[in-house]
Amino acid sequence: YTINNSNYSLSQPTGLTANITAKELTITGLSGVSRVYDATTGATLTGIGSLFGVISGDSVTLGGTSVADFNDANVGTGKAITVSGYTINNSNYSLSQPTGLTANITQKALTITGLTANNKIYDTTTTAPLSGTGSLIGVLGSDSVTLGGTYVANFNNANVGTGKAITVSGYSINN
């Protein structure tokens, strides 16, 4: 018994459905910029962001307004930066915001003001007399930082002289 293919007809499959999902793109070429403590979480990025993963021949443009933030405003090394706000103009793709960016927040320098150096009569010591009450310049916003410690003020030597430099040490800050 022989089967002849002409005895059959073939119906192609129908009713099948599936999805085409957007191809994910990533942004490369950016770095975090280290900065001095300023009581905010704002971060700065450097570099030119470019898209990684675009299929050759497709046109995809990186746009939007990026926002970069540290997770907190405190001083630290290698602090993670979160980025948002980048967009693309092609619905065949999805965009992952930049990840893995870090930078440092370094301490802000404060200055002590309100002290006056006083003259003294030669007494064989280098101790320098100061008057006034020290206070801090440069504390930001609602940060609570107070001047503490016990200062020591000294001339570089005990000899008579005019306009002699005084070195002060021993102050600390409490926050």
Side-chain angles (χ1 to χ4, degrees):
Y1 180 71
T2 307
I3 299 178
N4 184 341
N5 285 342
S6 62
N7 292 328
Y8 296 93
S9 68
L10 181 62
S11 295
Q12 298 297 322
T14 61
L16 299 176
T17 62
N19 300 327
I20 298 177
T21 58
K23 183 176 190 309
E24 187 171 338
L25 301 179
T26 56
I27 300 171
T28 61
L30 298 173
S31 299
V33 177
S34 294
R35 66 168 173 82
V36 173
Y37 172 79
D38 67 3
T40 71
T41 59
T44 301
L45 303 178
T46 188
I48 298 173
S50 58
L51 294 170
F52 178 78
V54 176
I55 297 171
S56 180
D58 279 356
S59 175
V60 184
T61 304
L62 183 61
T65 302
S66 67
V67 176
D69 285 297
F70 291 101
N71 61 340
D72 63 48
N74 298 324
V75 169
T77 302
K79 294 179 66 86
I81 297 173
T82 302
V83 180
S84 62
Y86 281 108
T87 61
I88 54 175
N89 66 339
N90 188 321
S91 62
N92 289 322
Y93 294 90
S94 64
L95 181 64
S96 290
Q97 299 296 314
T99 60
L101 301 176
T102 63
N104 303 329
I105 298 177
T106 57
Q107 293 178 323
K108 180 179 184 345
L110 300 178
T111 303
I112 300 172
T113 189
L115 298 174
T116 302
N118 298 311
N119 297 329
K120 78 171 199 170
I121 297 173
Y122 172 78
D123 66 0
T124 74
T125 71
T126 60
T127 302
L130 301 181
S131 61
T133 302
S135 62
L136 294 171
I137 293 178
V139 176
L140 299 172
S142 63
D143 285 354
S144 176
V145 183
T146 57
L147 189 58
T150 304
Y151 77 87
V152 175
N154 288 297
F155 292 102
N156 64 340
N157 63 48
N159 299 329
V160 171
T162 58
K164 296 181 64 118
I166 296 173
T167 302
V168 179
S169 62
Y171 276 112
S172 61
I173 55 174
N174 305 308
N175 56 345

